[in-house]
Amino acid sequence: GVKLAEDRDHNVEATFFARRASFQFDAEIPPPNERKRSCIHAPKGLGTWTIVSISNWSDRPAVLHIPPPALLPPPSSGFDENEADTFLKEHGAGQSDDDHGYHVLAFWSSRYTWLPPQTSANEQGPEQTLSSRLAAHETEIFHVKRVEPEFPQYIGSDLHFSCCKEVLVFTATTSTVKIELKTDYNRVGHVFVFLPVINTSNIRVLVNGEPGRWVAVGNTPKVAENGSPRLVGRVIRVMVVVHAGGDEDDGRIVIDF
């Protein structure tokens, strides 16, 4: 007979990724710069981003901070601890007109934050750090993606911790975003999308072929030369339901703006 979505083992996917990321004593040690271990391939169009996990191992609530080098994409050749400060200075704020800051999505709490461009110790102003208050033994996963102010961007979702493995297809133009989610399992959640628009009155969303529910949850500014932020786009949260029933429009999201 047909195996229903609710009858499937939802732990299979988590077990698969855990085994891929786990350390094996008998396995050959890969080169330090080879993207093989713990690497998840994302669908075309999602871009690249950094995943940072922080944990509070103490028995009391605490505010934890992520240092700036952890938020920056590593160079293709990799770097060691002695090169981290140099890399930060070369990629800090004020070094490039193309640096518009970062989208930051906290997976477990489903919170979006815009993080200003990083500054080095030699620049004016304090370094920007990402801070989070965590309960005892609590963990948060942050997805950090560089802002591209002229193009729509997939920020992530609360459907899968990778913020990419739930996506089958992502395409975007100057006026439309199309997302096809995987329909292997029945899921209810949200996706977060950056749109390069300020006025949200023209946004129209279809989910599974019907008008969808969405809300603007974040403003993405650009830091001008005088240091003042200027709004360049909005981040919207779209509610999605994947029925996993074989319908043609199941898992499809269309955003016109």
Side-chain angles (χ1 to χ4, degrees):
V2 179
K3 191 174 184 180
L4 300 178
E6 55 267 24
D7 296 331
R8 297 173 181 171
D9 185 0
H10 293 268
N11 293 320
V12 171
E13 191 176 40
T15 302
F16 171 77
F17 285 109
R19 288 177 176 175
R20 288 195 61 182
S22 62
F23 178 79
Q24 299 179 10
F25 288 98
D26 297 334
E28 182 179 352
I29 299 177
N33 296 324
E34 181 179 344
R35 299 190 62 191
K36 183 176 180 181
R37 179 174 178 265
S38 303
C39 181
I40 301 175
H41 296 281
K44 183 179 180 180
L46 295 190
T48 58
W49 62 97
T50 301
I51 301 177
V52 182
S53 176
I54 60 174
S55 300
N56 177 18
W57 299 110
S58 69
D59 295 328
R60 298 179 179 179
V63 177
L64 303 182
H65 308 279
I66 301 177
L71 302 176
L72 297 173
S76 57
S77 59
F79 60 77
D80 56 30
E81 294 181 357
N82 296 328
E83 295 174 319
D85 292 338
T86 301
F87 178 71
L88 179 61
K89 294 176 182 178
E90 293 176 351
H91 292 75
Q95 304 293 330
S96 172
D97 294 335
D98 296 330
D99 195 350
H100 305 288
Y102 300 86
H103 302 293
V104 180
L105 178 64
F107 175 75
W108 292 116
S109 58
S110 296
R111 294 180 180 178
Y112 170 83
T113 304
W114 175 77
L115 190 69
Q118 301 301 301
T119 59
S120 68
N122 294 334
E123 298 289 337
Q124 294 183 353
E127 291 183 341
Q128 301 291 340
T129 60
L130 188 61
S131 302
S132 181
R133 181 177 178 82
L134 299 179
H137 305 285
E138 185 179 14
T139 295
E140 183 60 278
I141 301 175
F142 293 97
H143 294 262
V144 185
K145 179 175 292 187
R146 188 182 299 274
V147 174
E148 299 290 344
E150 298 180 357
F151 304 97
Q153 292 177 277
Y154 185 81
I155 306 302
S157 77
D158 53 15
L159 298 172
H160 194 275
F161 74 92
S162 66
C163 284
C164 73
K165 205 62 181 178
E166 72 280 10
V167 179
L168 184 64
V169 177
F170 176 86
T171 58
T173 67
T174 56
S175 60
T176 302
V177 174
K178 295 182 179 180
I179 304 171
E180 293 185 23
L181 300 175
K182 294 180 180 179
T183 57
D184 297 334
Y185 302 105
N186 176 264
R187 297 178 178 180
V188 178
H190 306 84
V191 299
F192 295 77
V193 180
F194 167 74
L195 301 176
V197 296
I198 298 175
N199 186 354
T200 61
S201 61
N202 294 324
I203 296 177
R204 299 292 183 270
V205 178
L206 292 178
V207 178
N208 301 340
E210 300 179 354
R213 298 171 56 185
W214 64 274
V215 62
V217 296
N219 298 328
T220 304
K222 169 187 176 182
V223 178
E225 294 181 357
N226 61 3
S228 301
R230 179 175 64 85
L231 191 63
V232 296
R234 309 292 293 273
V235 172
I236 67 172
R237 182 183 64 202
V238 180
M239 181 178 179
V240 296
V241 178
V242 177
H243 299 284
D247 186 78
E248 182 179 359
D249 289 328
D250 192 25
R252 290 186 178 180
I253 305 168
V254 179
I255 305 172
D256 293 316
F257 58 93

